[in-house]
Amino acid sequence: MIDVQMAENITTDESSLGYKLARYWLPVVGMLALMYWFSTDALSGENTRGIIEAVLSWLGYHPGNRTLFKINYFVRKCAHFTEYAVLAALLFRAFRADSAYRWRLKWALYSLAVIVGWAVLDEWHQSFTHTRGGSIWDSLLDSSGGLFSLLIITVFSTKRQTGPSS
């Protein structure tokens, strides 16, 4: 009798609004907070260059300033693309929540709208920092990372499950 009541309580708890908020939206809020910190002076180009230089030095590679600049630029742009791809996946997961459906266009569109909005706000925020600057091109790169992730989700979510051909 007690086991049945516990199972009913667990089911009820898992379907509660608080549970859904914590499970699906807390990771989104955490990622947004992390991205906000990433766009401060703490991770300016000069600071990431120093980190990259230290890692490469530890690996026994000592590039010149020009090469180090190119590596830093590439790593930073890849990081922008990747962090927005992760955010898009988290947003899509949050909008989907416990739905029995795997994919809905509105979830992808809502996710993309948040991605584009956050990308623009992120660059605007960077324009107020001492060592960073805002760029519409970075907003486009960020948004393309989110769009890429949503396209991958779409392909895998809408792919038909076909059995082996006879």
Side-chain angles (χ1 to χ4, degrees):
M1 177 82 172
I2 293 175
D3 291 335
V4 172
Q5 287 176 337
M6 285 178 61
E8 287 175 3
N9 287 341
I10 291 171
T11 304
T12 304
D13 289 344
E14 288 181 1
S15 64
S16 73
L17 180 60
Y19 174 80
K20 287 181 181 180
L21 285 173
R23 181 171 182 190
Y24 297 110
W25 287 100
L26 200 55
V28 171
V29 171
M31 185 65 182
L32 290 172
L34 188 63
M35 291 168 76
Y36 181 83
W37 179 71
F38 286 168
S39 70
T40 65
D41 288 330
L43 286 178
S44 67
E46 190 62 32
N47 289 340
T48 57
R49 188 183 66 81
I51 294 167
I52 291 169
E53 186 175 26
V55 169
L56 292 175
S57 179
W58 181 77
L59 293 171
Y61 182 63
H62 304 283
N65 282 339
R66 186 176 177 141
T67 303
L68 187 58
F69 175 82
K70 288 179 182 179
I71 292 169
N72 187 39
Y73 181 83
F74 179 76
V75 168
R76 291 177 61 78
K77 297 308 172 190
C78 286
H80 272 262
F81 187 89
T82 303
E83 69 182 328
Y84 278 84
V86 170
L87 178 61
L90 290 173
L91 282 163
F92 185 87
R93 177 181 173 266
F95 285 121
R96 180 178 182 263
D98 289 334
S99 176
Y101 297 107
R102 293 179 60 136
W103 188 87
R104 288 283 182 250
L105 178 61
K106 68 180 182 178
W107 301 333
L109 292 176
Y110 294 159
S111 300
L112 186 60
V114 173
I115 290 294
V116 171
W118 188 259
V120 170
L121 286 173
D122 182 48
E123 292 303 316
W124 183 63
H125 169 251
Q126 287 181 28
S127 71
F128 293 106
T129 62
H130 294 279
T131 59
R132 314 248 346 222
S135 164
I136 191 65
W137 299 111
D138 279 349
S139 289
L140 290 172
L141 175 67
D142 299 342
S143 298
S144 69
L147 181 59
F148 177 78
S149 180
L150 292 170
L151 290 173
I152 296 297
I153 290 168
T154 300
V155 167
F156 283 101
S157 295
T158 59
K159 188 176 181 181
R160 289 188 172 190
Q161 298 292 331
T162 58
S165 52
S166 312

